[in-house]
Amino acid sequence: MVIAKAIVRTPCLTAVAFVAVGCSSSGEEAAFPSRPIEIVSWATPGGPTDLLSRALAEAAPPHFEGQRVTVMTRQGGAGAAGMQYLQGRAGDPHVLGVFTASGTVNMATGRIPFAPEDFTPILRIQIDPFLVAVRDDSPFRTLGDLFEAAHARPGEVSVSGFGAASAHFLGFARLRSVAGDPDIRWIAYEGSADAVVAALGGHTDAAHTNYNIVREHLRAGTMRVLGVALPVEALPDTPSYGEQGYDLAPVHWRGVVGPPGLAPEARAGLRVRLLAAIEDPGFREYMERAALEYATMEDADAFAVWMAEEVTTSRDLLKQLGLLDE
C-alpha cells in the first residue's frame, strides 16, 4: 500500500470546466441534478468516515445547483449492506458512496462479495496517517523503545487497534515487519476509540490509530505519540516512521464512488462538482481540524487503479501473515 505520488493539496475548479461537464445532448443528463443527492455511508455514526460524509454533505449543495445533500447510513455486513444499496442504483448519479481503505481490505478477505469494479471510483479525497500512541507515563519514548522491548520480551508487549484483519491491523503489521517482526500481540477492538481507551487504561502497551481518535487525550496530556506514518501539522515535534528508520508510510484513506454503470460524462461531472465542494471553506476547516491531508490523485482512473491495487496488496499481505488461504 504505497502512497500515490500525485497528491493534490489544493484542487481547483474553473468555470470553463464546470460548463463543459454540465452540457449534454441528453435532456435528462443536462437537467442533473434533478433531485436531492444521497451520500451512502456504511461507517459507524460519529466515526471519521461518518464525519467526512457529513462534512461533504454540508459543503456540496452550492455545487449541485442547491439540491439537498443527505447522508444515508446503511450499516451491516462489514459494509455489504451499503454497497448492495449503491450497486442497486446502477447508472444513477444522484447516489454516491463514501469508500475507505477498510472497504478494500474487506474485499481482500472475502468478507464482502464485491470488488472495486462493481462501483465507479470518482474521487479519493483524503489520507489519514496511522500513528502509535501510548499513555503519558509509558516507559516508551520512541518506536524503537517499543520494538526493543518486544524483541526482549516476546509476546509480552501488546498493541490495541481496530479490527482483527483491518486496514489498521495491516498498517501495523507492515510497521512491525520493517522493525524485524518482533512478537507483539495485536488486541483487536470493534472501534478505534475503544482501542485507545484500552491503551489509556493500561490494558495494552500502545494503540495503533489515527490522530483524530487520540486528539483530545493528547490535549489533556494523558497520551503521547511515539511516531506517525507521515508528518502531521498538529504534531510538529513527533517524528515520522521514516525519520525513525522505518521506511514506510501506511495510511487510512477515504474517497467517493458512484454506483456501477455511470456514464463517463456523469462521472467527470461529479468529480468536478466534488472537487469544488472540498474546496469549500467549511470543508477545509473540517480537514484542518481533523489533521487530514488532501489526496485527490490526478484523475478518476488513477483512483480506480489505486483501489484495485489496495485489494491485491492487502490480499497478499494477509496470505503472508497466514490469515488467508492461498
Side-chain angles (χ1 to χ4, degrees):
M1 291 178 275
V2 180
I3 302 276
K5 293 182 180 179
I7 293 180
V8 182
R9 296 182 182 276
T10 50
C12 57
L13 174 70
T14 67
V16 173
F18 220 143
V19 171
V21 299
C23 297
S24 169
S25 58
S26 164
E28 182 179 351
E29 290 180 1
F32 177 84
S34 60
R35 62 178 188 275
I37 306 297
E38 293 179 63
I39 297 178
V40 182
S41 171
W42 38 86
T44 303
T49 301
D50 179 68
L51 294 178
L52 165 63
S53 303
R54 296 185 187 285
L56 189 59
E58 289 181 11
H63 310 287
F64 285 81
E65 275 68 59
Q67 287 285 354
R68 188 163 53 95
V69 180
T70 61
V71 176
M72 174 185 291
T73 301
R74 283 185 171 260
Q75 292 181 274
M83 294 182 202
Q84 184 174 21
Y85 177 80
L86 190 64
Q87 194 177 49
R89 303 297 291 271
D92 187 353
H94 295 83
V95 184
L96 304 172
V98 172
F99 212 94
T100 75
S102 295
T104 51
V105 172
N106 288 338
M107 289 176 174
T109 62
R111 283 196 203 112
I112 55 177
F114 298 105
E117 55 267 28
D118 293 327
F119 307 97
T120 304
I122 298 171
L123 179 69
R124 191 182 70 174
I125 294 176
Q126 61 185 213
I127 54 174
D128 194 357
F130 287 122
L131 55 79
V132 178
V134 296
R135 205 163 71 170
D136 187 57
D137 61 359
S138 168
F140 306 133
R141 311 300 298 186
T142 67
L143 289 173
D145 292 342
L146 177 73
F147 294 134
E148 286 173 17
H151 280 298
R153 306 193 308 274
E156 293 185 21
V157 175
S158 60
V159 172
S160 50
F162 168 70
S166 62
H168 295 71
F169 167 76
L170 292 180
F172 186 73
R174 293 179 61 205
L175 176 59
R176 186 182 61 194
S177 177
V178 299
D181 273 326
D183 185 358
I184 297 178
R185 289 182 296 125
W186 174 264
I187 310 299
Y189 285 83
E190 293 186 1
S192 293
D194 292 336
V196 168
V197 169
L200 190 61
H203 304 293
T204 62
D205 294 294
H208 182 257
T209 186
N210 306 100
Y211 171 74
N212 58 353
I213 304 297
V214 296
R215 177 178 54 199
E216 296 306 319
H217 302 300
L218 298 178
R219 289 176 178 172
T222 54
M223 296 193 83
R224 292 182 284 107
V225 176
L226 301 183
V228 63
L230 289 172
V232 171
E233 187 175 345
L235 300 171
D237 300 322
T238 301
S240 68
Y241 293 175
E243 290 170 333
Q244 296 186 63
Y246 308 104
D247 188 20
L248 79 167
V251 298
H252 204 286
W253 57 266
R254 303 177 186 91
V256 175
V257 301
L262 279 186
E265 297 82 3
R267 183 194 196 192
L270 284 166
R271 179 178 169 84
V272 170
R273 293 174 187 273
L274 291 170
L275 280 169
I278 65 175
E279 279 289 275
D280 182 87
F283 191 89
R284 295 193 71 84
E285 181 182 346
Y286 143 76
M287 290 284 288
E288 292 169 7
R289 186 171 61 249
L292 299 169
E293 297 284 342
Y294 282 102
T296 55
M297 308 187 77
E298 60 267 31
D299 54 36
D301 288 336
F303 183 33
V305 170
W306 166 272
M307 288 181 63
E309 290 177 347
E310 284 279 280
V311 173
T312 299
T313 301
S314 296
R315 185 178 292 125
D316 290 346
L317 183 52
L318 288 164
K319 288 178 180 178
Q320 291 173 22
L321 295 170
L323 299 175
L324 198 63
D325 294 334
E326 295 289 341

